[in-house]
Amino acid sequence: MEIKWLHYIPIYIALCEEKSIAGAAKKLNCSNAHVSRQLRQLEDILSVQLIQRTTRQFNLTYDGVEFYKQVKYLLENAEAINEKLCSTENVAGKLRVAASASFGAMLLTEPLAEFYRTYPEIEIEVIFTESPLDLIESGFDVAFYLTDSPPEGYVGHYLRSLHCKPFAHNSYIKEQGEIAHPSELGKLSHILYRNTEFALDNWKFLNKKSKEDVHIKLHGTFSVNLVASMVDAMLSGCGVAMLDEFALSKLSQATRKEVVQLVPNWETSPILPLYILYPKRQHLPKRTKLFVEFFRNHLNGIQSKQLK
């Protein structure tokens, strides 16, 4: 519904407070004629006389006083809302975050807590899932996803790709024996990552020195769709798991020493780039900007440490 009198409010309030057309005109830096014309138009729209005016007197009518009280309250609230939304210091509000369960459960919980402690007025809701989501339709502000191509309609900041290596617990290697070439991986049991979209069972290994490459398809009777479960199964001696270093980052030093990297002179091609995504908007809320920048810095810091 169109409210035709809204844009007349500043002039009407100035008239009421300055108690003259000339005073209102001076305050608003406009002509006396403009103020008089605006007042007549406002009264015509409302079909009410607001100000009784003569050459010597300028008095608000009863309706004029009541209207002033209401629009003054309305303007003050509008200014408060505007200040809250536009203030460079304000970062309050709600953030809904979607994240890959495998990645998020491992690396996001701790920095999420740090972000919340830094900005306690921001309400954070996090949904961990491996199912693709329409972020806009589902009402999410930000998402962390492993994807080869960010969806249309989103801004995507590339964070890193996964560099997976074959890991196994020391007890499993002692039982099965060490291997020297990726082709020997076929002799071992494998804990595979598999979800409804794909399975990570095909790998290309490249020897760092000889530049020899070999394609391997891994077979296993144990598959899960959570990286944390792969780590747990690997630590329990169930077999070999293809993992990125981030998956082992939460292990204690003692436990990490029990994990063996197989064929360390061979590396695999990077897979599944990790992006932080948010819908394309002309005016991005400051809380969203802060959140994106915070996690870009945090995750890039982790990657830098791993490369040292």
Side-chain angles (χ1 to χ4, degrees), residues 8-206:
Y8 293 93
I9 287 177
I11 281 182
Y12 181 68
I13 289 176
L15 279 165
C16 294
E17 295 178 349
E18 296 300 320
K19 296 183 172 54
S20 74
I21 288 176
K26 183 178 180 180
K27 182 176 183 178
L28 299 174
N29 194 28
C30 60
S31 68
N32 292 0
H34 176 72
V35 173
S36 296
R37 186 167 55 251
Q38 293 286 293
L39 176 58
R40 286 195 303 272
Q41 291 175 0
L42 175 60
E43 290 177 327
D44 289 344
I45 290 170
L46 297 173
S47 298
V48 171
Q49 185 172 5
L50 300 171
I51 297 175
Q52 186 72 45
R53 51 207 182 274
T54 66
T55 54
R56 295 187 177 182
Q57 291 187 326
F58 187 95
N59 297 311
L60 271 67
T61 65
Y62 174 80
D63 291 325
V65 172
E66 292 302 308
F67 187 65
Y68 167 74
K69 291 177 182 177
Q70 293 175 55
V71 296
K72 178 69 172 179
Y73 175 79
L74 179 65
L75 185 62
E76 288 175 346
N77 276 272
E79 289 173 343
I81 292 170
N82 186 67
E83 183 178 351
K84 185 175 182 180
L85 287 174
C86 298
S87 170
T88 57
E89 299 302 321
N90 177 67
V91 290
K94 184 172 183 177
L95 268 174
R96 298 192 74 228
V97 182
S100 162
S102 290
F103 166 78
M106 286 272 184
L107 282 187
L108 289 186
T109 305
E110 186 177 317
L112 276 169
E114 182 181 342
F115 181 83
Y116 179 74
R117 288 193 298 268
T118 305
Y119 303 103
E121 293 185 359
I122 296 180
E123 180 183 349
I124 302 174
E125 178 186 356
V126 184
I127 303 297
F128 292 122
T129 176
E130 294 296 2
S131 302
L133 292 173
D134 185 321
L135 304 181
I136 297 175
E137 184 178 328
S138 302
F140 286 98
D141 300 291
V142 183
F144 296 90
Y145 272 113
L146 299 165
T147 176
D148 288 317
S149 55
E152 187 177 350
Y154 296 89
V155 177
H157 291 293
Y158 170 78
L159 296 174
R160 54 165 293 176
S161 294
L162 300 188
H163 293 263
C164 294
K165 307 165 188 175
F167 290 101
H169 192 265
N170 188 45
S171 61
Y172 180 78
I173 297 303
K174 287 181 178 178
E175 178 184 313
Q176 299 296 323
E178 295 186 5
I179 63 172
H181 193 276
S183 60
E184 298 178 79
L185 286 168
K187 301 187 300 184
L188 306 175
S189 298
H190 293 275
I191 305 153
L192 302 178
Y193 179 90
R194 178 180 285 116
N195 62 27
T196 56
E197 303 296 319
F198 58 84
L200 297 181
D201 54 3
N202 281 290
W203 298 90
K204 177 183 177 181
F205 285 82
L206 175 68

Side-chain angles (χ1 to χ4, degrees), residues 218-248:
L218 303 178
H219 299 278
T221 55
F222 193 148
S223 65
V224 293
N225 69 341
L226 287 176
V227 172
S229 297
M230 293 178 69
V231 174
D232 289 342
M234 181 268 294
L235 293 175
S236 297
C238 294
V240 178
M242 295 293 296
L243 298 168
D244 184 278
E245 286 285 353
F246 89 78
L248 308 175

